[in-house]
Every structure is written in C-alpha cells, then in structure tokens.
Amino acid sequence: MARILVIHGPNLNLLGQREPEIYGTATLEDINRQLAETAEQHSVELDFFQSNHEGAIIDRIHAAVGSAEGILINPGAFTHYSIAIRDAISAVPVPAVEVHLSNIHAREEFRRHSVLAAVAVGQISGFGTYSYVLGLLALIDHLKRQVRLK
Ligand code: DQA
C-alpha cells in the first residue's frame, strides 16, 4: 500500500488552544484522524510527524526517500523563510503538497509569500482543517497521474 508522509511544522502541536479565532478549535489529533479516514477511503497509508525544529523536519524529508511516495506538509512559519526546507523538498524525488489552515494570502504581508510553494506540486490555503483533506486528495490524484499509485 502506498505511503504518504504528513509533516506538521512548528506550533501546530498547540492547535485547539492556539489562536482559535484564526486556526479553529480542532486539535492536531483531530486533523490526523480526519486524514486517516480519507487515506483509508483511498487505500493509502499515512505516517505522521510534527516538529518545532527546522533540522528535524529536514531530516524527516530526507528519510522519506524510499519510505513514502508523497509528502503533505504544513510548514507553519517556516513557510515564509526556510530556504533549507525548500532545498530539502527539491533535493528529494518525493512530490510535496503545501497546506495551510488559514488563508496566508489574506493575512499579514510577511505571511503572503511562501518560499516553498515553487518547489511544491501545489498549495492549498484557507480552508481550515479541510485544507489538509483537500491537500491529501490532490496529492493522491497527482501520484495516480504520475503512476506512482495504482
Ligand atoms: C499556517 C500559517 C503560517 O503563517 C503560520 O506561521 C502557522 C500556520 C497555517 O496553517 O495557516 O504556523 O501555516
């Protein structure tokens, strides 16, 4: 069965209590559960990883080679400045989809630019927890079209 690595970046471990007016009240566990249901419907398996550390995220992206067919990532604030995470995504032959709970294009100026978007298959932003589901569906569809999944 195909595997997809789900990466949650910094501060996303606090979802549910963190600025609920922006990020909603769902916890990371709620999101992972929602993703697991979608994955099951599409016969894919998910590995979940959350870290507040740039290097740990980079190591996990490297480790995806040979162990995952795709990466679903919410890079949190690293979205806006981590050239190192961008380079890790371009360094591995594993397609990545970028997702955000909030609409980063409708927020502060510094959040409107993603340094990762250009090396991702695409970006989904602004649909709350449903951004993750949409991102997962888009990634599965992409992998099917790339014939990485049957
Ligand atoms: C976020 C948006 C980022 O700007 C912010 O730093 C986050 C969460 C989102 O999911 O909306 O941590 O990635």
Side-chain angles (χ1 to χ4, degrees):
M1 203 186 270
R3 296 189 88 85
I4 289 174
L5 170 63
V6 179
I7 300 179
H8 304 286
N11 300 306
L12 296 170
N13 54 311
L14 297 181
L15 283 179
Q17 17 164 334
R18 174 193 181 200
E19 300 180 275
E21 64 291 352
I22 297 173
Y23 299 116
T25 52
T27 64
L28 202 60
E29 288 67 36
D30 295 332
I31 291 173
N32 288 347
R33 213 174 305 117
Q34 209 178 345
L35 285 174
E37 279 169 26
T38 307
E40 202 182 331
Q41 288 158 14
H42 292 268
S43 304
V44 298
E45 277 183 8
L46 302 180
D47 288 324
F48 296 106
F49 180 74
Q50 190 278 327
S51 179
N52 296 321
H53 305 278
E54 189 177 27
I57 292 173
I58 293 166
D59 288 343
R60 195 64 192 83
I61 292 169
H62 294 174
V65 180
S67 69
E69 275 72 39
I71 298 173
L72 183 70
I73 182 167
N74 182 347
F78 287 139
T79 305
H80 315 298
Y81 68 93
S82 179
I83 308 292
I85 292 179
R86 175 197 167 114
D87 284 351
I89 290 172
S90 8
V92 299
V94 187
V97 168
E98 175 186 336
V99 297
H100 300 282
L101 294 152
S102 63
N103 179 357
I104 58 170
H105 304 285
R107 298 185 61 196
E108 302 97 318
E109 188 65 42
F110 67 87
R111 290 188 207 276
R112 294 186 192 160
H113 181 65
S114 164
V115 297
L116 309 181
V119 296
V121 178
Q123 180 198 72
I124 294 171
S125 175
F127 297 95
T129 61
Y130 200 54
S131 288
Y132 280 89
V133 175
L134 290 171
L136 179 59
L137 292 173
L139 181 56
I140 292 169
D141 181 69
H142 175 79
L143 293 172
K144 278 187 181 151
R145 282 187 283 109
Q146 302 281 301
V147 205
R148 292 183 202 225
L149 291 188
K150 291 194 190 74

